[in-house]
Amino acid sequence: MIDTKTRILDAAERLFAEHGFDATSLRAITKEAKVNLASVNYHFQSKDALIEALFVRRISPLNDERIRMLNEVERRAAGAAAPIEELVDAFVRPVLPGGAPGHHSIGILLGRMYAAPGGLLARVIAPQMDAIRERFGRAFRRSLPGLEAEEIFWRIHFTIGALAHTLASRGLLEFISRGMCSAADADQARTQLIRFVTGGLRAPSLVEKP
Amino acid sequence: MIDTKTRILDAAERLFAEHGFDATSLRAITKEAKVNLASVNYHFQSKDALIEALFVRRISPLNDERIRMLNEVERRAAGAAAPIEELVDAFVRPVLPGGAPGHHSIGILLGRMYAAPGGLLARVIAPQMDAIRERFGRAFRRSLPGLEAEEIFWRIHFTIGALAHTLASRGLLEFISRGMCSAADADQARTQLIRFVTGGLRAPSLVEKP
DNA sequence: GTATCAATCATACGTTCGTCTTAATCATAC
DNA sequence: GTATGATTAAGACGAACGTATGATTGATAC
């Protein structure tokens, strides 16, 4: 029998991803997890703290995997500038379904969190993302010497947008089911995403070079 | 004195954009609008219907402006394929701050809605977006003859993602204020966005051409 | 066996929410 | 003036929520 704390986290992750944070009550979570209602306030202190714990559990391994893949890409490049496609792949793959070990619905939740108001993103996610952003920013600057740091910043921002939208979009699957898109598998989505983002990153700089 | 219905819509739009739909109560809205609580259920029927009315009021003019700009772009192209930058501009400008007449916070709400669960997007926004997607899809196919229809579909999807993320991201302004990005004005964001998206759209096709 | 402490359980509390009801107000037409 | 229909006002209702309480169980150590 899995321990109560994990059962709560798993159920919460699943239900939050499906219905959103506000629309999911602790009663629904404890029912899904087959635990007592009070367990949530015993193991965590509040609903907010539960949500926070939920991200804490996933984000670190996720970003570790990103860094691991990035290091691997740079190792293969052997000192030269790494190919943009591979940098992007290291950035997006771990967060896409099937991309990281123990991966469940955290990608959807992350995508949703980026659009949500409130302090959780600023308190929990943003600090973790700053390190990733910094590390990948350096790699991109290396492989895109024609761009200024500020432009890199913007383009990473747009990359996150395209990624988060792909993760969060409920509409996508509907479009797919309506025949507007034939391949529903994650590989197809990732390949298309990488191609698009790589093109965006490679776009010429807006800054006039002397 | 502006009429009650409009006052409610304006206040709701403002508060929803700032705090989200669930975190904003009808009492907060009616207080902000300086109207009676029951007015909401009188003029609209429910909170959900209010949210729906809120989008209905803005989306049509917004998409009309998109179509108007697109037609203008195609008119200038005089039969030839229109430049991608201008197509993208017609797509993103109306939804960005200062881009359309009567524009307030609807962009933030749209950006947030794309990441939110529930049927409102599918019921209200998606049907309106289908027409836009179709119209712009045709224009993009014309200007990007090397791409298959499915690839165009994906790339419009990613474009919406980058756009929605830019609209919804609270974090962005924080990064800006922390000096990681110097220009906070909408012009800078739009220019960077268009450059990135154009590059993504122009990326070579994934499909092998015979 | 019994003391101890963490975990689980049923249940209650206080709050807040969306909605509804009923009465009061206002403008307009006759 | 008065009737009429639309709007606004004040307040109450029931439901659902997050949280807290106190009892109960279960395992471990002595």
Side-chain angles (χ1 to χ4, degrees):
Chain A
M1 192 60 149
I2 311 165
D3 89 296
T4 304
K5 214 165 165 177
T6 308
R7 301 255 299 285
I8 293 174
L9 285 171
D10 289 342
E13 196 172 283
R14 198 160 45 243
L15 291 178
F16 282 150
E18 190 168 355
H19 304 111
F21 296 105
D22 292 308
T24 303
S25 68
L26 294 184
R27 285 168 175 82
I29 293 171
T30 53
K31 187 176 178 184
E32 169 97 355
K34 294 187 181 24
V35 300
N36 191 270
L37 170 60
S39 308
V40 177
N41 285 295
Y42 178 76
H43 288 286
F44 312 89
Q45 290 83 349
S46 64
K47 185 178 184 179
D48 279 343
L50 167 65
I51 297 176
E52 183 166 338
L54 197 139
F55 279 103
V56 167
R57 174 173 74 148
R58 298 275 182 225
I59 287 186
S60 264
L62 198 107
N63 283 341
D64 287 350
E65 177 68 9
R66 276 173 160 156
I67 298 296
R68 194 195 63 76
M69 289 185 68
L70 176 55
N71 286 335
E72 174 68 16
V73 168
E74 291 186 331
R75 192 193 59 76
R76 275 206 308 276
I84 310 292
E85 285 89 350
E86 298 184 12
L87 298 180
V88 174
D89 186 59
F91 189 77
V92 305
R93 186 188 289 261
V95 79
L96 288 168
H103 189 293
H104 297 290
S105 312
I106 196 68
I108 297 176
L109 295 182
L110 273 172
R112 191 168 294 158
M113 196 53 93
Y114 270 108
L120 182 58
L121 181 116
R123 204 172 66 251
V124 182
I125 301 172
Q128 291 250 17
M129 275 307 291
D130 279 359
I132 291 290
R133 208 185 257 266
E134 173 59 32
R135 179 74 181 80
F136 274 87
R138 241 185 300 139
F140 280 127
R141 273 195 294 279
R142 184 108 189 274
S143 296
L144 295 165
L147 298 185
E148 308 227 324
E150 186 184 321
E151 291 182 296
I152 303 267
F153 166 83
W154 275 108
R155 294 182 188 192
I156 292 179
H157 169 79
F158 299 135
T159 299
I160 292 173
L163 172 62
H165 187 53
T166 302
L167 289 169
S169 199
R170 298 227 154 263
L172 185 57
L173 291 176
E174 298 164 18
F175 283 125
I176 289 169
S177 69
R178 276 155 59 191
M180 294 180 65
C181 169
S182 61
D185 55 296
D187 276 357
Q188 169 79 344
R190 189 183 61 247
T191 309
Q192 294 281 1
L193 174 62
I194 292 173
R195 177 60 60 103
F196 177 86
V197 167
T198 301
L201 287 165
R202 281 212 184 101
S205 170
L206 282 161
V207 182
E208 297 291 332
K209 290 282 175 180
Chain B
M1 193 59 150
I2 311 164
D3 87 298
T4 304
K5 215 165 166 175
T6 308
R7 301 255 299 285
I8 294 174
L9 284 171
D10 289 342
E13 195 172 283
R14 198 161 45 243
L15 291 179
F16 282 150
E18 189 168 356
H19 304 110
F21 295 106
D22 292 309
T24 303
S25 68
L26 293 183
R27 285 169 175 83
I29 294 171
T30 53
K31 189 176 176 184
E32 169 96 355
K34 293 185 177 33
V35 302
N36 191 270
L37 171 60
S39 308
V40 177
N41 286 296
Y42 177 77
H43 288 285
F44 313 89
Q45 289 84 349
S46 63
K47 186 180 183 179
D48 279 344
L50 166 64
I51 297 176
E52 182 165 339
L54 197 139
F55 280 103
V56 167
R57 176 174 72 148
R58 298 274 182 226
I59 286 186
S60 265
L62 197 107
N63 283 340
D64 287 350
E65 177 67 9
R66 276 173 160 156
I67 298 297
R68 194 196 63 75
M69 288 186 68
L70 176 56
N71 285 336
E72 173 68 17
V73 168
E74 291 187 329
R75 192 193 59 75
R76 275 204 310 274
I84 311 292
E85 286 88 351
E86 298 184 13
L87 297 180
V88 174
D89 187 60
F91 189 75
V92 305
R93 186 188 290 262
V95 80
L96 289 168
H103 188 291
H104 298 289
S105 313
I106 197 66
I108 297 176
L109 295 181
L110 272 173
R112 190 168 294 158
M113 197 54 93
Y114 269 108
L120 182 59
L121 182 118
R123 203 172 66 251
V124 181
I125 301 172
Q128 290 250 17
M129 274 307 291
D130 279 359
I132 291 290
R133 207 184 258 266
E134 173 59 32
R135 180 71 181 82
F136 274 86
R138 242 185 300 138
F140 280 125
R141 274 196 292 279
R142 185 108 188 274
S143 295
L144 294 164
L147 297 184
E148 307 227 324
E150 186 183 321
E151 291 182 295
I152 302 266
F153 166 84
W154 276 107
R155 296 183 185 192
I156 291 180
H157 169 80
F158 299 134
T159 299
I160 292 172
L163 173 62
H165 188 55
T166 302
L167 288 169
S169 199
R170 298 226 154 263
L172 186 58
L173 292 176
E174 297 165 18
F175 284 125
I176 289 170
S177 69
R178 277 155 58 191
M180 294 182 65
C181 170
S182 62
D185 55 296
D187 276 356
Q188 168 79 341
R190 188 184 60 247
T191 309
Q192 294 281 1
L193 174 62
I194 292 173
R195 176 60 59 104
F196 178 87
V197 167
T198 302
L201 287 165
R202 281 213 185 101
S205 171
L206 282 162
V207 183
E208 298 291 332
K209 290 284 174 182

